[in-house]
Amino acid sequence: ELRSEFQTLEALLHTLEASRHLDSKSQDGLLGFGECFSSRLVKEALCEAGIKAAHVDARSCIVTDAHHGQARPIWDVTEERLQQFLRPLLESGLVPVLGGFIASTADGVPTTLGRGGSDFSAAIVGAALGAARIEIWTDVDGIMTTDPKLCSEARVIRKMSFDEAAELAQFGAKVLHPATLGPAMRENIPVYVLN
């Protein structure tokens, strides 16, 4: 499975080398390969651990505008595709594994969701499927009173409203990107930040 992805990557690199031009569209195509590789590997690791899993290419489900590097989802198409691709897997007991951060335009051109894109992907999928909760896994124990790298007395804030979390994100809290909260707020799905 990875061989064809590597061949596609190699072809893209040759094209970029020949053109000596890297625009945001090409960069989105290039950046997505890591997510494609890692999601396929995670799916295999889950299967090896006895968990029935299926790989789903996020680029076939999350449909965006063509604003490369910071694409925005086209909600109705994205929701329809997520239901189409993921619902049958979930109903048959499979765990869908998708790369975060990546998407594509309606005509299949790869895009990326920008900073916080993997968390945003989780929120998009959770909202489309009516999840009971959305979990964001990161390197801190949750949303904290300050940056724990700068202040050893930082404490976890156990619970806060969407508005409070959005305000913190808007003013630079790195643990959540403002875009991540949008889908969760719209569907009133709690977001857990876990380490």
Side-chain angles (χ1 to χ4, degrees):
E1 287 181 41
L2 290 179
R3 189 172 291 121
S4 68
E5 291 278 353
F6 277 114
Q7 289 168 344
T8 304
L9 173 58
E10 187 175 18
L12 175 59
L13 290 172
H14 285 302
T15 301
L16 292 173
E17 181 184 35
S19 71
R20 294 286 203 216
H21 177 71
L22 180 66
D23 59 10
S24 58
K25 180 178 175 182
S26 300
Q27 189 170 342
D28 273 1
L30 190 59
L31 289 173
F33 279 96
E35 290 295 324
C36 294
F37 297 148
S38 63
S39 58
R40 288 184 189 280
L41 291 171
V42 167
K43 177 257 180 188
E44 289 300 322
L46 289 171
C47 289
E48 286 287 319
I51 298 168
K52 295 189 291 183
H55 178 262
V56 177
D57 189 336
R59 296 170 298 186
S60 64
C61 299
I62 300 176
V63 181
T64 67
D65 61 20
H67 188 165
H68 293 281
Q70 192 72 44
R72 289 285 154 245
I74 299 170
W75 293 106
D76 55 339
V77 180
T78 295
E79 199 167 303
E80 183 180 311
R81 288 208 188 163
L82 285 166
Q83 288 287 340
Q84 173 190 350
F85 284 94
L86 301 187
R87 185 67 61 198
L89 297 174
L90 293 166
E91 288 171 355
S92 67
L94 292 168
V95 174
V97 180
L98 294 82
F101 175 68
I102 58 174
S104 70
T105 62
D107 53 348
V109 177
T111 59
T112 60
L113 300 174
R115 184 177 91 73
S118 292
D119 295 349
F120 190 24
S121 296
I124 291 166
V125 172
L129 297 176
R133 66 193 270 168
I134 295 168
E135 295 181 358
I136 305 300
W137 289 83
T138 186
D139 61 346
V140 293
D141 296 323
I143 297 176
M144 304 187 84
T145 54
T146 189
D147 186 340
K149 294 174 188 155
L150 301 176
C151 179
S152 61
E153 283 115 40
R155 293 185 329 270
V156 174
I157 301 168
R158 294 282 169 215
K159 189 174 183 176
M160 68 175 46
S161 71
F162 280 124
D163 289 337
E164 291 167 326
E167 191 169 345
L168 283 173
Q170 199 66 41
F171 286 107
K174 293 181 179 133
V175 71
L176 280 178
H177 190 274
T180 299
L181 294 171
M185 287 173 68
R186 191 176 67 241
E187 299 298 322
N188 200 30
I189 300 171
V191 176
Y192 291 80
V193 178
L194 305 166
N195 187 346

